[in-house]
Amino acid sequence: HRYGNVPGLSGRGSYLLSVAVNFLFKPIGRRWRVELDGEVLEDDFALVSMCNGRYYGGGFMPVGEAQPDDGVLDMLVVPKVSRTTFFRLVSQYAKGRYRDYPQLIRDYHGQTISYASLNGENVITVVDGEVMRAPEFTVTLADKKVNFFYPAGASYQPNVQLDKKGRK
């Protein structure tokens, strides 16, 4: 949000500026405890990303198959990496190429994720553009709490055309 009003920058440009500032001038990685549907990880993480939709950050698409109505949270966990590795990976991450880097990017598909700082600092979490700060968070999918609707012939899924009755 800090860079959203920089003249001449689009949403993607302001997001990339924020990424550059944070990873050039701040340490990469925070010590966290992450629990993914019962599996517990404790480590220094550069990024924990939960996707219930395809895009964020002005065009980043880390998990192209993420859908808001499929009953699955698609999660990516990236351990602390060097700045060189980060800058080599960020464009691939943004394009949804996480499967090409299984040694660096772990993917999970489940219902619940909990994460907490292990050094007592607040974790910064952004949900649909809203910034929240707390020492820990738990995100759980709720079963069919929001109904999605689209104009006739439209679909959330890319390159899928529906007939007038909403069928593929």
Side-chain angles (χ1 to χ4, degrees):
H1 287 39
R2 182 176 299 153
Y3 304 104
N5 295 323
V6 175
L9 285 182
S10 64
R12 182 176 178 89
S14 61
Y15 184 78
L16 290 173
L17 176 60
S18 175
V19 168
V21 167
N22 280 289
F23 283 95
L24 284 174
F25 302 110
K26 296 181 181 180
I28 295 176
R30 301 280 193 276
R31 189 104 183 120
W32 285 7
R33 179 183 192 274
V34 177
E35 186 173 341
L36 305 143
D37 281 341
E39 181 179 352
V40 177
L41 308 170
E42 287 188 6
D43 206 344
D44 291 335
F45 295 103
L47 176 74
V48 175
S49 176
M50 292 163 288
C51 302
N52 199 27
R54 295 182 63 216
Y55 294 96
Y56 79 88
F60 273 56
M61 185 188 67
V63 183
E65 63 272 18
Q67 300 290 326
D69 59 355
D70 66 357
V72 176
L73 278 174
D74 298 285
M75 301 166 268
L76 301 178
V77 178
V78 180
K80 181 179 179 179
V81 294
S82 69
R83 283 183 170 73
T84 303
T85 299
F86 173 79
F87 282 110
R88 184 174 49 87
L89 262 180
V90 71
S91 67
Q92 299 304 303
Y93 168 84
K95 294 175 187 173
R97 307 279 309 267
Y98 67 90
R99 286 189 178 104
D100 295 345
Y101 302 92
Q103 71 283 10
L104 294 173
I105 303 173
R106 292 183 64 185
D107 65 300
Y108 296 88
H109 309 277
Q111 301 294 310
T112 300
I113 182 172
S114 296
Y115 49 101
S117 171
L118 289 177
N119 61 8
E121 66 185 26
N122 277 341
V123 174
I124 298 170
T125 298
V126 181
V127 177
D128 201 21
E130 298 300 320
V131 178
M132 298 179 285
R133 292 171 174 83
E136 62 184 78
F137 286 94
T138 297
V139 177
T140 301
L141 281 180
D143 188 37
K144 297 186 180 189
K145 296 294 182 184
V146 178
N147 292 320
F148 290 88
F149 61 92
Y150 306 95
S155 170
Y156 182 79
Q157 299 173 346
N159 303 320
V160 172
Q161 293 298 314
L162 304 178
D163 65 17
K164 291 181 182 179
K165 293 185 179 182
R167 298 177 300 208
K168 290 182 184 179

